[in-house]
Amino acid sequence: MSRKELICITVNAVMLKMMMVYPRFIAENSGSAAWMTCIIVTLAALALAFCSGDFLCGEKCIADLAKNGGVRIAAGTLLTVALAANLINTACFFPISVKTVMLQFSDINLIIAALITAVLIASYAGVKASARIHTIFMPIAVAIIIAASLLLFKPAEFNNITPLFGEGVRKVFLDGLFFVSLFNDIIVLNVLGSRCESKAEARSALLWGVIISGALAAAFMIMYAMVYPYPVVKSNVLPMYSLSKNMRFGTYFGRFEALFEFIITLLFVLYACVYVNAIAETVQKTFYLKCRNIIITLIVAGLCVFLVLMDSEALLVKLSRRLYLAALGAWAALSAAYVGMRKTEKKRKQ
Amino acid sequence: MKVFDKIKNFFLYNTEDGGFVLRENASAASYDSGREHESGEIPAISGDIEKNYAYMKERFSYPENNDIVIKQFEMARGTKCFCMFIDGMVKTDYVNDGIIKPMQELTLFDEEYRIDESIMKRFISHSQAQTLIDFDSVCEEINFGSAAVFVDGLEMCFSMDVRGWEHRSIDKPEKEQSIYGPQEAFGEMLRTNSALIRKIVKTEKLICEAVKIGDVSKTRGVLMYIKDVANDSLIDEIRRRINGISMEYVIAIEDVALMIEESSYTVTNRIFTTERPDRAARALTRGKAVLLLNGSPNALVLPTTALEMMSSPSDTYMRVDFANMARLIRFAACFFSCLLPGMYLAATLFHHEIIPTYLLYSISASRENVPFSSFIELILMDFAFEMIREAGLRMPAAIGSTLGIVGGLILGQAAVNAKIVSPITIIIIAVTGIGSFAVTDYSLGWSFRILRIMFILLGSTLGFFGIALGIVIYALYVANMRSFGVPFLPERFFISKGRAESAAVVSPLWKSERRPKFLAAKHERLEPKISRKWRRSKR
């Protein structure tokens, strides 16, 4: 796997969250200074990535590294939970967003069925194919989104991001640190990083992935905050949809929010494909299993159950915060476990 | 009487051909599948000319086989000989003047000459002569246009390459036309084709490895590659697949392509076929292999990438900006060819807000009296268009224009006037059709036709959401494909970054410094870092 592929995977994961529901959470906390929180969070994520670079970009995944059976199972399970929490978190909002933006008159179960079928077929193709397609679709998607964002300059108001420190310095800078969970997805590099040509390449991919996605997230947030004044921001569940409704193409053009959802669908299936494969690989390594396709089928079936159960937006928003925390906690625990394992290994060698 | 017979036949239900019924063959014991001698002994040529004559007569079903010529003659001292060839496949002048005459006029063989050596060295005035000792090789040579000479007392046969069958001269390319670059296309003659490539790639390292495919037809071909460039494992793999083909008759190179490709049930073709020697030569210089087959005016380029199929021969000959503009148009054409009908359906059925209000009114008004749904309308028109295209391929050129008029008037104007389809559907199908003709590779056009139907179904059931799912699944499917061990979708998709490989954006020629990474060529460097040295030198 190349550096470019890993960067694209990271950027896709973070941007998907930003386009789904995350800006609302940040805005609720930081008010008009949500974009500042994004920058702070990016810096915090960079620091974390720098510290846990060895863990994320090692030659082996943590489930591979553990020699003791019990430790391996515990570490593997924790990694699976972290990955699953991230996947479910992003996936749960997706069918609702499709229904709201694109298929208002279709049954949500039909949308879920189509999505699950696509994710299943895509997952069988493997993570390598998905990574390659990421490198093709991501630059195009980012270019389209940036170009479209230029159309938002007209409805944007600078006054909407004042007061500059929004809900207060403490809220923006300290409480805002919780939103480092925006970058939870980089934990997937623990599984994929080992496929990279070299450790240095993987590390570079990690740092560049965080920088690029952080910059894009901050730009998105500032645009969002400028278009929608603070109290309104809190009521928007799907920020990308809300923003695209404000784009003006002139008298002779229609509205293009369905096209943005089209792009998000492309990116989401690729994202889900990477995650399903990463979880399958972790489960395989943890329990020494060989039947990859069966594991993939079971994971996708599990995802389907979650998607069918999570049919209320309020429930999703509530669950989402917990899942972000769970994933963040799992990441912290795994990093600590990694340090422990390394120390034990060194002692053994001595 | 005739009337009575007719009445009788009517009641007896006799067929007009007198009640002929095809019967099963009693025995197929003498069937030559070309595999009989695989394990057993190859029949050897006898010293007795009568035996040889009888064997060859039987094997070639002579005189039942009308184009077989067996000329019996005697050399000096009455040594019996016969010469055998297939009429129409040899140049009879060569046979008369180069073989029969010198042998008939042969002076006495005295003791100091050995007859077998002397015939070859002194009397057969032909440059490509060889000695064969088994009948299988002799028959194969005769079938390939050689003349065989048997001499009494010799347990061998002399085979002379006197091929002279009629063939097409070197013509202009038809499928891969280009304003720039050479205007030559492959013909049907193997040697002419290999020479066309050799004429461009002037190096002794260019290997023309002989291959024979088909157990009975033993169709000859050449596998071409540059010895110090092409990856050995790639050549071994191609060789392994070619040698692994076991079929009796190979008619054309397309048969070989179908037999050596990874999977037969993929929507996208994985082997690139070209009729241009310059394209084949360029592929060779990059480290690829080219397969030519006698009787086929196409070459197989192995391995192939998806972007290579999207590129046109003129891309490499044009200035970068022109080439990129042309490529952009071609990509747009592919997009329209594949997705436009599906997207139109998705927009009109699910996402009306995308369509500008005035256009929406216009579409709605035009569809007012049409009884069919948009989906049926589109499928009908697409089917009609494909029928016209398919008929156009088979129609003689003289009445081709009639087809255009029928297609244009009846299917276009009349269908709209009759309110069977709406004008917007005609426009959509027309743009789609034009787009499909802008695709450079003919087989890719077929892929797009199949995909178009899939996207129409997805667009009409799930709108843009369905199309997006379809695109991503197809993209992953293509990304997973390999052509002779090489990823079908190259790692460098947009820009080739100094490598001579097809990418979405055409790079200047001076930037093609290295051969494609995925080919793992023996020698990577194609040109030095500074290939335009005049820019650095002083005036």
Side-chain angles (χ1 to χ4, degrees):
Chain A
M1 206 171 266
S2 69
R3 189 176 70 144
K4 194 175 155 193
E5 287 170 343
L6 286 180
I7 293 174
C8 286
I9 287 172
T10 315
V11 173
N12 185 22
V14 175
M15 284 313 290
L16 264 176
K17 264 187 196 166
M18 282 304 287
M19 288 189 276
M20 294 281 189
V21 73
Y22 220 83
R24 175 191 160 160
F25 293 157
I26 303 178
E28 270 179 357
N29 176 73
S30 311
S32 55
W35 60 277
M36 263 189 210
T37 306
C38 264
I39 294 170
I40 298 295
V41 156
T42 306
L43 293 174
L46 258 178
L48 274 176
F50 199 75
C51 295
S52 59
D54 276 343
F55 161 62
L56 293 171
C57 310
E59 280 138 17
K60 283 177 179 176
C61 128
I62 194 154
D64 252 350
L65 211 68
K67 294 222 167 60
N68 184 302
V71 178
R72 192 192 66 244
I73 290 171
T77 310
L78 207 56
L79 184 59
T80 309
V81 167
L83 292 170
N86 283 327
L87 174 64
I88 291 165
N89 220 343
T90 312
C92 280
F93 286 98
F94 189 69
I96 289 179
S97 77
V98 171
K99 187 169 166 60
T100 315
V101 183
M102 288 212 239
L103 303 168
Q104 295 89 343
F105 304 108
S106 300
D107 185 0
I108 193 152
N109 290 325
L110 174 72
I111 297 168
I112 292 172
L115 182 70
I116 286 297
T117 314
V119 169
L120 188 65
I121 298 169
S123 303
Y124 287 150
V127 73
K128 214 168 174 195
S130 172
R132 187 145 294 182
I133 299 301
H134 261 95
T135 60
I136 298 169
F137 284 1
M138 265 314 287
I140 298 173
V142 168
I144 291 174
I145 290 167
I146 290 174
S149 304
L150 298 177
L151 296 167
L152 290 169
F153 272 112
K154 207 175 172 188
E157 286 262 348
F158 184 77
N159 285 343
N160 288 346
I161 55 167
T162 51
L164 271 179
F165 288 105
E167 292 284 294
V169 177
R170 186 193 156 84
K171 276 254 179 189
V172 174
F173 293 106
L174 277 177
D175 296 356
L177 277 178
F178 156 76
F179 295 103
V180 77
S181 56
L182 175 65
F183 294 90
N184 270 350
D185 289 273
I186 57 175
I187 202 167
V188 79
L189 293 185
N190 182 242
V191 185
L192 304 180
S194 54
R195 290 165 183 243
C196 204
E197 285 155 15
S198 68
K199 208 174 165 178
E201 283 265 292
R203 248 179 184 277
S204 157
L206 170 68
L207 297 177
W208 277 111
V210 172
I211 292 169
I212 295 170
S213 48
L216 287 171
F220 186 84
M221 200 64 229
I222 202 166
M223 195 53 87
Y224 184 50
M226 278 166 80
V227 172
Y228 287 100
Y230 167 55
V232 184
V233 172
K234 290 201 314 190
S235 59
N236 285 337
V237 178
L238 301 167
M240 190 69 209
Y241 173 53
S242 314
L243 277 181
S244 58
K245 277 201 292 190
N246 279 282
M247 288 173 191
R248 290 280 171 267
F249 294 89
T251 323
Y252 299 103
F253 292 97
R255 283 158 51 192
F256 281 78
E257 51 261 37
L259 275 182
F260 288 106
E261 197 64 22
F262 174 84
I263 295 166
I264 294 173
T265 306
L266 294 176
L267 300 180
F268 175 76
V269 177
L270 291 176
Y271 165 86
C273 169
V274 168
Y275 258 87
V276 169
N277 275 285
I279 296 172
E281 201 175 312
T282 312
V283 171
Q284 269 185 300
K285 282 174 180 172
T286 309
F287 300 102
Y288 294 139
L289 300 173
K290 283 180 181 170
C291 39
R292 176 179 161 269
N293 281 1
I294 295 175
I295 300 170
I296 284 176
T297 314
L298 290 173
I299 294 165
V300 176
L303 180 67
C304 180
V305 171
F306 267 99
L307 294 188
V308 173
L309 289 178
M310 301 292 143
D311 55 350
S312 130
E313 276 178 35
L315 184 67
L316 278 177
V317 171
K318 203 173 160 187
L319 178 86
S320 189
R321 291 167 198 274
R322 286 178 189 168
L323 281 172
Y324 283 132
L325 267 178
L328 197 63
W331 181 11
L334 282 168
S335 299
Y338 177 82
V339 174
M341 275 181 212
R342 278 284 182 214
K343 275 189 177 171
T344 322
E345 207 172 304
K346 267 186 190 172
K347 270 183 190 171
R348 258 188 220 158
K349 277 181 186 172
Q350 280 169 359
Chain B
M1 196 63 193
K2 250 185 176 177
V3 176
F4 178 71
D5 276 350
K6 282 205 169 178
I7 294 167
K8 196 176 86 183
N9 283 345
F10 177 75
F11 284 108
L12 288 174
Y13 300 105
N14 269 357
T15 50
E16 277 182 4
D17 53 4
F20 171 73
V21 178
L22 195 67
R23 275 171 294 176
E24 273 187 30
N25 276 320
S27 158
S30 62
Y31 180 67
D32 173 22
S33 70
R35 302 185 196 106
E36 278 78 18
H37 311 306
E38 268 175 10
S39 52
E41 274 186 19
I42 300 166
I45 296 165
S46 153
D48 183 355
I49 194 150
E50 293 304 328
K51 271 189 185 172
N52 292 341
Y53 184 66
Y55 181 86
M56 291 303 281
K57 263 178 77 175
E58 194 198 333
R59 185 128 179 202
F60 278 89
S61 308
Y62 181 82
E64 192 185 338
N65 218 342
N66 186 252
D67 59 349
I68 302 292
V69 178
I70 303 181
K71 167 73 182 166
Q72 287 177 297
F73 59 94
E74 283 184 6
M75 286 161 58
R77 285 191 181 171
T79 311
K80 284 183 180 173
C81 309
F82 73 87
C83 176
M84 191 171 175
F85 56 89
I86 300 173
D87 194 19
M89 290 185 82
V90 300
K91 277 233 157 97
T92 38
D93 290 350
Y94 292 172
V95 178
N96 295 338
D97 302 338
I99 303 167
I100 299 175
K101 245 186 211 173
M103 286 183 75
Q104 276 179 330
E105 289 169 2
L106 195 62
T107 47
L108 296 174
F109 274 114
D110 47 34
E111 297 304 315
E112 64 182 285
Y113 294 124
R114 275 173 54 86
I115 187 167
D116 50 345
E117 285 177 4
S118 300
I119 287 176
M120 278 293 272
K121 284 182 185 168
R122 293 173 155 252
F123 303 109
I124 290 177
S125 50
H126 198 275
S127 58
Q128 289 191 46
Q130 55 177 327
T131 313
L132 304 169
I133 53 161
D134 64 278
F135 280 117
D136 277 4
S137 315
V138 176
C139 294
E140 193 191 319
E141 286 297 322
I142 293 174
N143 282 327
F144 200 54
S146 292
V149 176
F150 288 84
V151 179
D152 194 17
L154 296 183
E155 288 179 347
M156 62 175 71
C157 166
F158 304 102
S159 156
M160 264 71 65
D161 181 0
V162 284
R163 268 167 230 140
W165 56 64
E166 291 302 320
H167 59 87
R168 212 157 47 103
S169 58
I170 296 168
D171 232 331
K172 272 191 166 188
E174 278 184 10
K175 289 181 290 177
E176 295 169 86
Q177 286 179 14
S178 163
I179 292 166
Y180 305 96
Q183 301 294 326
E184 284 177 334
F186 288 125
E188 274 79 12
M189 293 289 286
L190 177 66
R191 277 293 162 234
T192 315
N193 292 348
S194 62
L196 282 173
I197 294 179
R198 212 174 257 286
K199 199 171 78 179
I200 304 169
V201 187
K202 297 181 196 75
T203 167
E204 66 281 7
K205 302 283 183 193
L206 177 64
I207 305 293
C208 274
E209 197 178 297
V211 291
K212 280 181 197 168
I213 315 170
D215 297 329
V216 176
S217 66
K218 295 209 167 41
T219 312
R220 293 179 189 203
V222 284
L223 175 64
M224 300 181 87
Y225 55 92
I226 299 177
K227 200 180 173 184
D228 53 359
V229 174
N231 188 309
D232 285 337
S233 61
L234 171 71
I235 303 300
D236 286 343
E237 178 60 17
I238 296 169
R239 219 178 272 143
R240 187 182 73 83
R241 290 194 197 181
I242 291 171
N243 293 336
I245 298 174
S246 182
M247 57 196 288
E248 291 182 0
Y249 298 93
V250 171
I251 311 298
I253 203 158
E254 285 75 12
D255 292 354
V256 182
L258 293 173
M259 292 294 278
I260 60 174
E261 68 178 353
E262 278 83 355
S263 170
S264 303
Y265 300 102
T266 48
V267 185
T268 308
N269 187 16
R270 267 182 262 187
I271 294 176
F272 176 60
T273 317
T274 182
E275 56 171 350
R276 294 180 66 100
D278 56 321
R279 269 190 120 174
R282 202 177 284 276
L284 284 169
T285 59
R286 303 291 189 252
K288 296 187 178 184
V290 166
L291 182 70
L292 296 170
L293 204 68
N294 192 50
S296 288
N298 289 312
L300 298 186
V301 177
L302 315 163
T304 307
T305 62
L307 286 166
E308 201 164 52
M309 292 191 142
M310 290 291 291
S311 64
S312 149
S314 55
D315 285 356
T316 41
Y317 298 117
M318 279 204 282
R319 287 175 52 81
V320 177
D321 30 12
F322 303 167
N324 279 319
M325 186 64 200
R327 198 169 272 200
L328 190 71
I329 292 167
R330 225 175 301 127
F331 273 113
C334 291
F335 177 82
F336 286 138
S337 162
C338 227
L339 293 171
L340 188 65
M343 285 204 146
Y344 163 73
L345 276 180
T348 50
L349 296 176
F350 295 95
H351 318 296
H352 308 108
E353 73 280 358
I354 274 186
I355 307 169
T357 317
Y358 294 114
L359 183 60
L360 195 63
Y361 285 148
S362 157
I363 292 173
S364 176
S366 70
R367 294 208 69 257
E368 205 173 14
N369 293 320
V370 178
F372 303 115
S373 66
S374 302
F375 173 73
I376 298 288
E377 213 186 329
L378 212 62
I379 289 284
L380 270 178
M381 280 311 292
D382 195 36
F383 184 67
F385 181 81
E386 288 301 321
M387 266 199 316
I388 296 173
R389 193 193 52 75
E390 198 63 26
L393 288 177
R394 278 150 197 81
M395 199 150 286
I399 51 169
S401 54
T402 319
L403 184 79
I405 296 165
V406 169
L409 278 180
I410 296 182
L411 284 165
Q413 194 60 41
V416 172
N417 287 346
K419 306 278 183 201
I420 294 170
V421 291
S422 59
I424 187 85
T425 312
I426 303 272
I427 295 168
I428 297 286
I429 292 296
V431 175
T432 307
I434 293 165
S436 70
F437 289 122
V439 180
T440 49
D441 190 63
Y442 186 70
S443 64
L444 210 59
W446 274 111
S447 310
F448 288 165
R449 266 169 224 137
I450 296 169
L451 287 172
R452 188 193 306 153
I453 293 169
M454 283 163 56
F455 284 120
I456 286 176
L457 288 172
L458 286 169
S460 61
T461 48
L462 289 164
F464 281 156
F465 176 59
I467 292 176
L469 295 181
I471 289 174
V472 78
I473 287 173
Y474 179 66
L476 285 167
Y477 163 78
V478 172
N480 233 6
M481 285 185 354
R482 296 183 92 80
S483 168
F484 287 85
V486 166
F488 189 63
L489 201 66
E491 196 182 323
R492 291 183 167 92
F493 183 85
F494 293 107
I495 299 165
S496 59
K497 273 190 185 167
R499 290 197 182 263
E501 59 186 68
S502 290
V505 178
V506 181
S507 301
L509 194 61
W510 52 267
K511 268 193 176 176
S512 306
E513 289 155 5
R514 284 164 295 153
R515 294 193 163 83
K517 196 180 176 188
F518 56 79
L519 285 174
K522 280 181 195 162
H523 187 73
E524 213 186 33
R525 182 66 65 176
L526 199 57
E527 57 188 49
K529 182 86 183 152
I530 308 293
S531 55
R532 296 186 298 171
K533 287 183 180 149
W534 57 269
R535 287 180 74 93
R536 292 282 171 100
S537 60
K538 286 176 185 169
R539 281 194 185 91

